[in-house]
Amino acid sequence: MTTRRFVPDSLRDQIVRILIQWGMAAPIADTTATVMVDADLSGIDSHGVSMLLMYETLLNEGRLNANAVPAIAEEGPAFGVVDGDHGLGHATAVYAVELAIAKAAYAGIGAVAVRNSRHFGAAGYYARLASERGCIALITTSTRIPVTFAAGGTSPVLGTNPIAFAAPRADGEPLVVDISTSVVAMNKVKAYALKGDVLPVGWVYDRTGRPVTDSAAAYAMLTSQEATLSPLGGAALETGAHKGFGLSLMVQILSTALSNAATPLDTRDRDNIGHFFLVIDTAMVNSSGSVAGIVEDTLTAMQRDEQEVRIPGDPEREARSERGRRGIPLPDTLIRQVADIAARSGAPFVLTESS
Amino acid sequence: MTTRRFVPDSLRDQIVRILIQWGMAAPIADTTATVMVDADLSGIDSHGVSMLLMYETLLNEGRLNANAVPAIAEEGPAFGVVDGDHGLGHATAVYAVELAIAKAAYAGIGAVAVRNSRHFGAAGYYARLASERGCIALITTSTRIPVTFAAGGTSPVLGTNPIAFAAPRADGEPLVVDISTSVVAMNKVKAYALKGDVLPVGWVYDRTGRPVTDSAAAYAMLTSQEATLSPLGGAALETGAHKGFGLSLMVQILSTALSNAATPLDTRDRDNIGHFFLVIDTAMVNSSGSVAGIVEDTLTAMQRDEQEVRIPGDPEREARSERGRRGIPLPDTLIRQVADIAARSGAPFVLTESS
């Protein structure tokens, strides 16, 4: 598989042109493309431009409102509920986290729940956005398809339900934790399938509870609900299955119960994805101390005698620096896919190779 | 090891009498004993009356203020910072969660960070308290001794850093998730050691990264920092080590950075434990829907075809019912310990066996 590198701004421009052809308003297309390209820059290849084909399918099936306008449905001094109007999640999520930041600036903390959203890319983006302004952020989202089993069960009852957390550091870019509450994300199984690698035992099980290690079979079975993913902590109580299950439930409820988004086994309204954004204004809540200083002390002490310890968010920060300079690597199959999507939308192909 | 059952109210009375002899104000002793006995009733034997000896040691070493009065150090419309005045954490935590509930009733959400607290028992108690009043709660605490390694490392850099979450259900008692973000809690290793059982590989490692499966040796090595616990997700990236590490960091920062409590490797002020309480008033944030109804639907759907799936919090609820009727089982060694502590404090021994 050949991979070439492309100028990030040309990828951003390409996505904007396609989204506008789909009917999206220019400022919303702009925000959406910025968030998507940030995933590609950060090395989170599964959540950037590679999602475009799935978005096109949703659009063609009438399950995505291209010219959605997110709006506040309920509001109080420190909270809001946002209706995403069935649009792509990226611009809705930026709107929601900005609202939470504004609430926090007034009340110390702000929480915003979202309904009628769609896939919003990497949750860590929005957490980082809040922490770049000195806030602590905790963000969760529901996901569309049940793939993860409950501790003690064998059928898929929850999504991969990610959670992101970010906090400012005194001497560097924010700490950013961004994890699924399943043992791995779906895209990890897909990546193994693309390479033909054997899966580790403990990731995927069939409906009778037997491990599936054939990665291609596992991915196909997961999408048809014939197989299920372990929660974080694996399948046994001994390794913490109930802990991953509990965390996934927490994410599910924060993301859907406050905003009336779809519950995981509700098949009528599955596209109605919900998010939750909590933002804490650190200057206001800890006015006598330095949150960023305490975070810095906590993290630097951990790395003092440990060369191999990586602080969450550091690999993505390094990828942004490297890819920002050298360009974003895209495999030829993906480039062809983007060219086809552009052609179908009526947008020109404007991807430019890095020199 | 003989075990007899005791009348819960007599255990509560016993604890109150000891705490008052230690110099604690009667209402604070009352709250503390109620929280401690609830742990014993719930089957969380590690966090109830069995902690009394450790509290006595802290007191004798001048590291615990028996007549502490928690007070608000900072406050805003939706947040507060509480100083625990170096007292036991239970009454301080009840004070803090009540403050967060009051803030949430006004602003939709409320967050309270706590410093200068001590051990507060089981985090789930305070989350359940909020959910019994219709709120969603997310609670974290730091712990005193670093025992857990970071993904990629071999030295103890974080505590067991628990997280608790609760949400109301339409047809039953609240969902309560209460987990440590290490693969197991310290008391689990201690329980294996008491029985002489061999530890599963993956729980405890020595400082060179070799697994320790001798439970007695492992517990001793953990307390002297010669061994370390895995984060949730185990020691390998493949099983999610970085996820448990990330969650533990999140708990650490929420619990300490907002309130200036001790950082994990700060040895000067290690007793200064911090907590974090987030409460969401579900009637206010989701005024057009029913949070408890959505939670109920989510949970009942998961159990429909799965007999073996237990909802988090259900085992503790069942224990409360059974032990409330039949009495709290206490091993003779613990009864003798309580009698000795009572004698040393000058309180009478009032434990009464269940008939």
Side-chain angles (χ1 to χ4, degrees):
Chain A
M1 192 160 61
T2 321
T3 292
R4 288 174 289 161
R5 286 184 179 257
F6 291 84
V7 177
D9 274 349
S10 78
L11 180 60
R12 200 178 158 287
D13 186 31
Q14 182 66 71
I15 295 172
V16 167
R17 285 168 184 264
I18 291 170
L19 295 175
I20 287 176
Q21 286 299 116
W22 286 355
M24 197 178 275
I28 295 202
D30 205 71
T31 301
T32 307
T34 298
V35 178
M36 287 174 68
V37 171
D38 188 84
D40 287 306
L41 277 167
S42 302
I44 313 169
D45 298 339
S46 54
H47 283 63
V49 66
S50 68
M51 290 301 298
L52 217 43
L53 187 63
M54 201 267 259
Y55 300 158
E56 189 192 36
T57 303
L58 284 178
L59 188 74
N60 290 342
E61 292 178 0
R63 294 157 57 196
L64 184 67
N65 181 7
N67 55 13
V69 180
I72 295 173
E74 299 190 51
E75 197 173 10
F79 76 91
V81 177
V82 165
D83 191 310
D85 196 19
H86 312 279
L88 267 181
H90 311 75
T92 299
V94 169
Y95 179 84
V97 77
E98 296 278 6
L99 181 62
I101 293 169
K103 299 280 180 195
Y106 164 72
I109 59 169
V112 173
V114 178
R115 66 167 163 258
N116 288 324
S117 188
R118 298 292 182 270
H119 191 259
F120 72 5
Y125 178 87
Y126 314 103
R128 178 158 56 92
L129 192 154
S131 286
E132 281 167 353
R133 306 222 214 128
C135 296
I136 282 177
L138 171 64
I139 294 171
T140 68
T141 184
S142 65
T143 53
R144 209 171 62 84
I145 305 174
V147 288
T148 311
F149 59 83
T154 59
S155 57
V157 293
L158 286 161
T160 53
N161 289 4
I163 183 168
F165 174 80
R169 298 181 67 158
D171 302 323
E173 290 190 50
L175 162 75
V176 181
V177 176
D178 184 359
I179 61 171
S180 67
T181 53
S182 49
V183 67
V184 286
M186 281 287 278
N187 70 293
K188 193 78 96 177
V189 178
K190 192 177 177 182
Y192 271 63
L194 284 173
K195 290 189 207 157
D197 289 347
V198 174
L199 293 185
V201 171
W203 285 11
V204 179
Y205 292 87
D206 70 18
R207 299 292 288 268
T208 68
R210 266 189 306 242
V212 182
T213 57
D214 177 328
S215 54
Y219 189 70
M221 289 166 76
L222 283 171
T223 51
S224 62
Q225 309 208 307
E226 293 164 88
T228 59
L229 272 179
S230 283
L232 173 60
L237 293 185
E238 188 177 287
T239 51
H242 58 298
K243 299 188 179 193
F245 174 47
L247 290 166
S248 183
L249 274 177
M250 176 180 90
V251 168
Q252 185 66 43
I253 288 164
L254 288 173
S255 307
T256 64
L258 293 165
S259 61
N260 301 337
T263 55
L265 299 176
D266 175 3
T267 50
R268 290 162 304 176
D269 193 23
R270 188 164 278 176
D271 290 320
N272 176 1
I273 286 176
H275 320 303
F276 175 75
F277 301 83
L278 174 72
V279 171
I280 303 171
D281 186 310
T282 60
M284 199 156 167
V285 171
N286 189 348
S287 64
S288 65
S290 162
V291 168
I294 295 171
V295 173
E296 187 66 41
D297 290 348
T298 300
L299 297 177
T300 51
M302 284 176 194
Q303 288 187 302
R304 195 161 295 141
D305 305 315
E306 295 270 17
Q307 310 302 318
E308 302 300 318
V309 168
R310 305 296 310 274
I311 300 301
D314 278 359
E316 291 76 16
R317 182 177 50 74
E318 288 162 18
R320 280 194 294 278
S321 165
E322 192 265 348
R323 291 183 172 195
R325 281 195 320 274
R326 298 185 51 212
I328 294 172
L330 298 175
D332 281 349
T333 46
L334 181 56
I335 299 162
R336 270 194 301 276
Q337 204 176 76
V338 172
D340 290 347
I341 294 169
R344 286 193 290 270
S345 78
F349 182 75
V350 297
L351 277 187
T352 310
E353 266 192 79
S354 299
S355 52
Chain B
M1 192 161 59
T2 320
T3 293
R4 289 174 288 160
R5 285 185 178 257
F6 291 85
V7 177
D9 272 350
S10 78
L11 180 60
R12 200 177 159 288
D13 186 31
Q14 181 67 70
I15 296 172
V16 167
R17 284 168 184 263
I18 292 169
L19 295 175
I20 287 177
Q21 286 300 116
W22 286 356
M24 197 177 274
I28 296 201
D30 205 72
T31 300
T32 306
T34 298
V35 177
M36 287 174 67
V37 171
D38 187 84
D40 287 306
L41 277 167
S42 303
I44 312 168
D45 299 338
S46 54
H47 283 63
V49 66
S50 69
M51 291 300 298
L52 217 42
L53 186 63
M54 201 268 260
Y55 300 157
E56 189 192 36
T57 304
L58 284 178
L59 188 75
N60 290 341
E61 292 177 358
R63 294 158 57 199
L64 184 67
N65 181 7
N67 56 12
V69 180
I72 295 172
E74 299 190 51
E75 197 174 8
F79 76 91
V81 176
V82 166
D83 191 310
D85 196 19
H86 313 280
L88 267 182
H90 310 75
T92 299
V94 169
Y95 179 83
V97 78
E98 295 279 6
L99 181 62
I101 293 170
K103 299 281 181 194
Y106 164 72
I109 59 170
V112 173
V114 178
R115 67 166 162 259
N116 288 324
S117 188
R118 297 291 183 271
H119 192 260
F120 73 4
Y125 178 88
Y126 313 103
R128 178 158 55 91
L129 193 154
S131 286
E132 282 167 353
R133 306 223 212 128
C135 296
I136 282 177
L138 172 64
I139 294 170
T140 68
T141 184
S142 66
T143 53
R144 209 173 60 85
I145 305 173
V147 288
T148 311
F149 59 83
T154 58
S155 57
V157 292
L158 286 161
T160 54
N161 289 3
I163 182 168
F165 175 80
R169 298 181 65 158
D171 302 322
E173 290 190 49
L175 162 75
V176 181
V177 177
D178 184 358
I179 61 172
S180 68
T181 53
S182 48
V183 67
V184 287
M186 280 287 277
N187 71 291
K188 193 79 96 179
V189 177
K190 192 176 177 182
Y192 271 63
L194 284 173
K195 291 189 205 155
D197 290 346
V198 174
L199 293 186
V201 172
W203 284 13
V204 178
Y205 293 86
D206 69 18
R207 299 290 289 268
T208 68
R210 267 190 305 244
V212 182
T213 56
D214 177 325
S215 53
Y219 189 70
M221 288 166 76
L222 283 171
T223 50
S224 63
Q225 308 209 305
E226 293 163 88
T228 60
L229 273 178
S230 283
L232 173 61
L237 294 184
E238 189 177 286
T239 51
H242 57 298
K243 299 188 180 194
F245 174 47
L247 289 166
S248 183
L249 274 177
M250 176 180 90
V251 168
Q252 185 66 44
I253 289 164
L254 288 173
S255 307
T256 65
L258 293 165
S259 61
N260 301 337
T263 53
L265 298 177
D266 175 2
T267 50
R268 291 161 305 177
D269 192 24
R270 187 163 278 175
D271 290 321
N272 176 2
I273 285 176
H275 320 304
F276 176 74
F277 301 83
L278 174 73
V279 171
I280 304 171
D281 186 311
T282 60
M284 199 156 168
V285 172
N286 189 348
S287 64
S288 65
S290 162
V291 169
I294 295 171
V295 173
E296 187 66 41
D297 290 348
T298 300
L299 297 177
T300 52
M302 282 176 195
Q303 288 187 303
R304 195 161 292 141
D305 306 314
E306 295 271 17
Q307 310 302 318
E308 302 299 318
V309 168
R310 306 295 312 273
I311 300 301
D314 279 359
E316 290 78 15
R317 182 176 50 73
E318 289 161 18
R320 280 193 295 278
S321 165
E322 193 265 349
R323 292 183 170 194
R325 281 194 318 275
R326 299 186 49 213
I328 294 172
L330 298 176
D332 280 350
T333 45
L334 181 56
I335 299 161
R336 271 195 301 277
Q337 205 175 75
V338 172
D340 289 347
I341 294 169
R344 286 193 290 268
S345 77
F349 182 75
V350 296
L351 277 187
T352 311
E353 267 193 79
S354 300
S355 53

